């Protein structure tokens, strides 16, 4: 009888302790546990500190914007992005901007896209200098709407240049008006 009572008490303690955790869970370094109501706000992709002109260079919001899809299929307004998904066909990476104003932006970096996948550009993008221009206003924000490659990589053949031009015709994505 004593054994049965003792076994029952042990079983009761085990059942009541089930699901209770006395110690903190192991979290990756730098993270903290959040309750369901304490979710953090989403952040912009690395290299783009966020929308509304707080992008790649960290400079103040002056000049027109680009509509960047890097890490966000819905896109966000950005200025001086380091990583810039310009259209569904074309991406600029490792960008450094020499000039950024209301009318024009000039910079250098790398370009790749669907138009050069057969050339292996995903692993070895082409070096270019680019100029963004033709600002348009959408819902009170000015966006560049075209780009021109002003200097091509020596390794970029005429055939690949033609494929780039054919892919998006130098047009940049801009948001649709609400």
């Amino acid at each position: 009888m004593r054994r049965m009572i003792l076994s029952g008490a042990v079983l009761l303690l085990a059942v009541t302790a089930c699901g209770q955790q006395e110690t903190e869970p192991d979290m990756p370094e730098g993270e903290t546990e959040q309750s369901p109501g304490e979710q953090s706000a989403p952040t912009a992709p690395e290299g783009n500190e966020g929308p509304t002109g707080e992008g790649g260079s960290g400079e103040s919001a002056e000049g027109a914007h680009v509509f960047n899809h890097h890490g966000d299929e819905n896109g966000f307004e950005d200025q001086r992005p380091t990583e810039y998904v310009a259209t569904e066909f074309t991406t600029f990476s490792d960008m450094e901007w020499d000039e950024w104003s209301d009318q024009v932006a000039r910079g250098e970096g790398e370009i790749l896209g669907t138009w050069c996948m057969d050339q292996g550009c995903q692993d070895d993008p082409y070096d270019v200098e680019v100029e963004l221009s033709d600002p348009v206003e959408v819902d009170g924000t000015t966006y560049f709407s075209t780009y021109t490659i002003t200097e091509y990589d020596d390794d970029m053949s005429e055939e690949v240049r033609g494929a780039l031009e054919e892919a998006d015709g130098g047009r940049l994505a801009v948001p649709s008006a609400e």
Side-chain angles (χ1 to χ4, degrees):
M1 173 89 165
R2 193 181 264 175
R3 182 179 274 170
M4 187 192 254
I5 292 175
L6 188 55
S7 295
V10 168
L11 184 59
L12 181 62
L13 283 173
V15 169
T16 58
C18 197
Q20 293 181 352
Q21 189 171 359
E22 295 295 321
T23 61
E24 296 278 325
D26 290 337
M27 299 293 291
E29 191 173 323
E31 291 187 25
T32 58
E33 185 177 11
Q34 296 176 340
S35 67
E38 294 183 69
Q39 302 258 335
S40 296
T43 59
E46 189 175 323
N48 298 308
E49 299 302 317
T52 65
E54 298 169 9
S57 73
E59 295 185 18
S60 63
E62 290 182 13
H65 295 81
V66 292
F67 193 59
N68 194 347
H69 289 274
H70 180 73
D72 183 349
E73 67 184 36
N74 295 318
F76 57 96
E77 65 184 64
D78 202 359
Q79 290 181 311
R80 296 180 178 263
T82 304
E83 303 298 319
Y84 173 35
V85 177
T87 70
E88 62 188 295
F89 307 108
T90 303
T91 298
F92 295 94
S93 61
D94 294 329
M95 293 302 299
E96 294 180 13
W97 299 99
D98 299 322
E99 179 181 351
W100 195 281
S101 71
D102 290 331
Q103 297 301 311
V104 69
R106 291 183 182 93
E108 61 183 59
E110 299 175 334
I111 190 170
L112 59 123
T114 58
W115 43 267
C116 63
M117 289 178 72
D118 59 340
Q119 304 293 319
C121 68
Q122 307 307 47
D123 296 324
D124 188 17
Y126 296 103
D127 293 327
V128 293
E129 290 184 17
V130 65
E131 179 177 294
L132 311 181
S133 57
D134 298 320
V136 297
E137 188 171 318
V138 179
D139 294 331
T141 301
T142 304
Y143 294 90
F144 292 117
S145 66
T146 64
Y147 72 90
T148 303
I149 304 300
T150 57
E151 189 172 317
Y152 289 93
D153 189 327
D154 291 338
D155 294 339
M156 191 178 217
S157 70
E158 287 296 325
E159 179 184 351
V160 174
R161 291 178 193 187
L164 166 60
E165 178 63 29
E166 191 175 302
D168 52 29
R171 304 291 305 169
L172 297 173
V174 295
S176 44
E178 291 183 16

